[in-house]
């Protein structure tokens, strides 16, 4: 290889190794708004994932509704064809019924919490990395921009997580069970406050609740909380509105830490079946903490 | 086809693969251990294009993966892709890939390397990330899941390459 070519190759290699490191250093620091590169990548990947999600869902529907049924016994072909049509109609109706129920739940939730200004969003992709608990959502058609980092994401069942990055009508949502997630919480009906820390586990979506030291009286050895105790946001982190359900204390054993007790928590939201979520864009911080147990 | 054309086609195919990966895994209910689909095109580049072009293409593939894989600082997978490309070139220059089994074993080795790099770079550049243990614990399963996809992706890339270069005689895992 000529000397010039070798130099060029070395330079390209150096740049290819160093530029990502510089980008990592720059993007690894917490910042309130996405950078130009992050915006560019989101603009590139989000519509593609949204489109692919639709294509895969359509193909899956075609496959399960039609292709999978081909090859049954010959003499039943006519009956099966009729059955396919009927099954398709029933499935369509069932899907409409489920969607109707979900939308009704959303409407009911908005009525119950009028202090929350929310935008509805559809989940278009879930994490492809086994190390992060993240969703990508697309706002409903016609919704304006204005999403910001750390805005709470909820469903009628409870807290989902917060907006990590946002661009236009797309946003990445870090789930409450991500190991980086911290939510100020309080136990309903008990004088116990603490922090909900995501476990980061993929399989069970558990979170742990670390109580603050002052919650346990000096010398007290008994656990102050019991399995089934409901946890809601306390609003002290100034990110999540007060009174949103996050989950309940699980059956597992509690352990003592430097700051208090650490309990397993079962989130109130089923993260596996998330379809529609709401992003809280603004709220009046006067919501009551007393949620019925 | 020129190295640039080859790289562009590989980048486009990788973009498609990564775009379809998430919804497909969710649809098939197998999202617990997603295969590292961006790794295989990087290995293909290491075998088929000159180093400078391959490094740039690997960088672009890594950047695209940074966009698709949510939750990591931009640059994480770009760095991993470039290092993986260089290691893949070194490995394949010492032990040539002949047949499907060596292809799958190489993919597994590179996948483990990529997981270790992910843990290391997260430790250095992503202070909020706490899952280093999980990354290392899942390195083996992710490598095992990624390996069977290597022949499939190589088949697609070889076929695409041959569409544009019928007259060229080069090594390919899958014949022209």
């Amino acid at each position: 290889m000529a000397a010039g070519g070798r130099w060029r190759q070395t330079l390209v290699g150096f740049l290819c190794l160093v530029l990502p490191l510089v980008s990592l250093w720059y993007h690894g620091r917490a910042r309130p708004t996405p950078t130009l590169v992050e915006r560019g990548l989101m603009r590139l990947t989000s519509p593609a994932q949204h489109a692919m999600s639709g294509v895969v869902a359509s193909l899956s529907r075609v496959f399960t509704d039609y292709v999978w049924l081909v090859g049954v016994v010959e003499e039943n072909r006519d009956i099966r064809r009729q059955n396919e049509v009927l099954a398709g109609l029933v499935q369509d109706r069932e899907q409409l019924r489920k969607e109707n129920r979900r939308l009704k739940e959303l409407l009911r939730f908005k009525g119950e919490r009028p202090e929350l200004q929310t935008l509805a969003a559809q989940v278009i992709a879930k994490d492809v990395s086994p190390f992060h608990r993240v969703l990508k959502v697309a706002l409903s058609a016609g919704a304006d921009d204005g999403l910001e980092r750390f805005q709470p994401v909820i469903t009628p069942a409870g807290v989902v997580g917060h907006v990590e990055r946002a661009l236009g009508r797309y946003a990445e949502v870090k789930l409450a069970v991500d190991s980086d997630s911290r939510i100020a919480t309080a136990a309903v009906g008990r004088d116990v406050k603490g922090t909900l820390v995501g476990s980061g586990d993929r399989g069970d979506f558990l979170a742990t609740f670390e109580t603050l030291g002052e919650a346990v009286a000096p010398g007290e050895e008994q656990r102050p909380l019991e399995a089934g105790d409901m946890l809601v946001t306390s609003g002290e982190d100034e990110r999540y509105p007060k009174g949103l359900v996050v989950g309940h204390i699980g059956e597992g054993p509690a352990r003592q830490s430097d700051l208090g007790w650490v309990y397993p928590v079962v989130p109130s939201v089923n993260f596996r079946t998330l379809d529609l979520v709401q992003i809280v864009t603004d709220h009046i911080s006067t919501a009551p903490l007393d949620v019925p147990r | 086809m020129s190295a640039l054309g080859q790289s562009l086609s590989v980048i486009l195919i990788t973009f498609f693969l990564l775009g379809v990966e998430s919804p497909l895994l969710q649809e098939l209910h197998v999202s617990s251990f997603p295969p590292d689909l961006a790794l295989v095109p990087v290995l293909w580049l290491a075998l088929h294009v000159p180093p400078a072009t391959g490094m740039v293409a690997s960088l672009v593939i890594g950047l695209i993966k940074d966009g698709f894989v949510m939750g990591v600082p931009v640059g994480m997978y770009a760095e991993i892709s470039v290092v993986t490309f260089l290691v893949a070139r070194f490995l394949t220059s010492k032990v040539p890939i002949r047949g499907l089994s060596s292809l799958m074993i190489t993919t597994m080795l590179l996948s483990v390397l990529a997981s270790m790099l992910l843990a290391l770079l997260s430790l250095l550049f992503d202070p909020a990330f706490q899952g280093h243990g999980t990354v290392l614990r899942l390195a083996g399963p992710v490598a095992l899941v990624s390996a069977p996809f290597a022949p499939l992706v190589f088949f697609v890339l070889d076929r695409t390459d041959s569409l544009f270069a019928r007259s060229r005689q080069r090594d390919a895992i899958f014949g022209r």
Side-chain angles (χ1 to χ4, degrees):
Chain A
M1 188 188 295
R6 199 165 289 161
W7 264 107
R8 191 174 65 102
Q9 192 171 306
T10 309
L11 181 67
V12 170
F14 177 77
L15 287 176
C16 284
L17 285 170
V18 170
L19 284 178
L21 289 177
V22 173
S23 169
L24 261 176
W25 170 78
Y26 183 71
H27 290 95
R29 295 178 299 173
R31 58 188 71 252
T33 53
T35 64
L36 191 67
V37 181
E38 286 174 329
R39 290 163 67 90
L41 284 175
M42 271 194 90
R43 211 180 282 279
L44 185 74
T45 57
S46 298
Q49 273 183 310
H50 198 176
M52 292 297 182
S53 181
V55 170
V56 169
S58 303
L59 287 176
S60 169
R61 232 176 357 253
V62 168
F63 184 78
T64 52
D65 286 1
Y66 300 101
V67 181
W68 192 245
L69 299 176
V70 173
V72 193
V73 189
E74 190 70 25
E75 56 263 32
N76 288 333
R77 184 183 287 167
D78 292 337
I79 300 170
R80 278 195 308 103
R81 194 167 291 153
Q82 194 179 1
N83 194 33
E84 279 174 32
V85 175
L86 290 171
L89 286 172
V90 168
Q91 200 169 28
D92 285 350
R93 192 179 149 189
E94 184 65 18
Q95 279 175 355
L96 283 171
R97 196 174 65 83
K98 282 180 182 169
E99 192 176 348
N100 193 23
R101 198 167 57 203
R102 279 200 305 271
L103 292 171
K104 274 182 178 170
E105 276 178 9
L106 284 176
L107 276 174
R108 183 175 56 80
F109 178 73
K110 277 187 88 90
E112 284 175 359
R113 300 296 300 262
E115 80 281 6
L116 302 181
Q117 285 183 18
T118 58
L119 288 173
Q122 187 190 5
V123 176
I124 58 168
K126 294 181 181 172
D127 46 4
V128 289
S129 159
F131 315 120
H132 293 277
R133 306 281 80 85
V134 190
L135 295 174
K136 196 174 273 186
V137 296
L139 288 174
S140 302
D144 293 324
D145 296 357
L147 294 184
E148 291 173 11
R149 195 178 181 207
F150 296 129
Q151 282 177 335
V153 180
I154 56 176
T155 69
V159 173
V160 173
H162 68 260
V163 172
E164 182 68 12
R165 291 178 198 156
L167 180 71
R169 56 187 290 256
Y170 295 104
E172 283 179 16
V173 176
K174 188 159 273 188
L175 300 183
V177 288
D178 187 278
S179 57
D180 300 342
S181 172
R182 304 282 184 276
I183 302 173
T185 46
V188 176
R190 306 254 189 160
D191 188 21
V192 179
K193 290 184 178 177
T195 307
L196 187 86
V197 182
S199 66
D201 286 345
R202 168 168 281 277
D204 44 14
F205 287 117
L206 287 173
T208 52
F209 174 66
E210 295 175 349
T211 60
L212 302 177
E214 60 267 27
V216 184
E220 190 180 348
E221 290 184 1
Q222 201 176 0
R223 298 174 49 182
L225 293 177
E226 293 167 0
D229 279 344
M230 188 187 284
L231 302 175
V232 295
T233 51
S234 66
E236 289 183 358
D237 52 12
E238 296 181 354
R239 286 185 189 170
Y240 290 86
K242 197 190 275 187
L244 293 173
V245 179
V246 290
H248 64 266
I249 301 293
E251 294 288 345
R255 60 183 168 81
Q256 199 157 19
S257 73
D258 295 341
L259 292 175
W261 289 87
V262 180
Y263 300 93
V265 173
V266 181
S268 56
V269 173
N270 185 350
F271 295 99
R272 294 180 196 286
T273 56
L274 275 180
D275 184 16
L276 289 171
V277 296
Q278 300 220 351
I279 300 172
V280 180
T281 54
D282 200 3
H283 66 277
I284 305 162
S285 55
T286 54
L289 183 58
D290 295 327
V291 174
R293 295 185 70 183
Chain B
M1 185 165 47
S2 68
L4 184 66
Q6 282 178 302
S7 301
L8 279 176
S9 63
V10 172
I11 288 167
L12 284 175
I13 289 169
T14 310
F15 184 85
F16 174 78
L17 288 174
L18 290 175
V20 85
E21 184 183 9
S22 171
L24 196 61
L25 291 175
Q26 299 299 327
E27 198 67 39
L28 299 174
H29 308 290
V30 287
S31 57
S32 294
F33 299 107
D36 193 346
L37 290 183
L39 182 78
V40 188
V42 170
L43 174 58
W44 192 91
L45 286 168
L47 288 170
H48 291 85
V49 300
T53 317
M55 274 188 283
V56 174
S58 301
L59 179 79
V60 175
I61 286 173
L63 271 177
I64 291 171
K65 186 165 180 184
D66 277 326
F68 277 112
V69 177
M70 300 157 272
V72 293
V74 176
M76 179 72 75
Y77 285 104
E79 182 71 21
I80 291 172
S81 287
V82 175
V83 175
T84 308
F85 172 84
L86 292 172
V87 173
R89 268 195 84 84
F90 174 78
L91 269 181
T92 52
S93 68
K94 300 291 177 195
V95 186
I97 291 180
R98 300 256 183 259
L100 296 184
S101 53
S102 60
L103 172 63
M104 288 167 72
I105 289 169
T106 310
T107 306
M108 279 168 61
L109 290 174
L110 292 176
S111 176
V112 171
L113 169 76
S115 294
M116 291 169 75
L117 281 171
L118 178 61
L120 178 68
L121 292 173
S122 299
L123 195 67
L124 293 174
F125 295 103
D126 191 3
F129 183 64
Q130 301 294 322
H132 309 99
T134 315
V135 174
L136 295 176
R137 202 172 65 242
L138 292 184
V142 170
L144 284 172
V145 172
S146 302
F149 285 88
L152 293 171
V153 177
F154 257 66
F155 176 79
V156 172
L157 294 173
D158 279 345
R159 286 290 161 189
T160 310
D161 190 37
S162 68
L163 282 177
F164 297 100
R166 285 192 188 284
S167 58
R168 205 149 33 105
Q169 294 295 316
R170 281 191 298 94
D171 281 347
I173 301 293
F174 297 94
R176 307 278 170 188

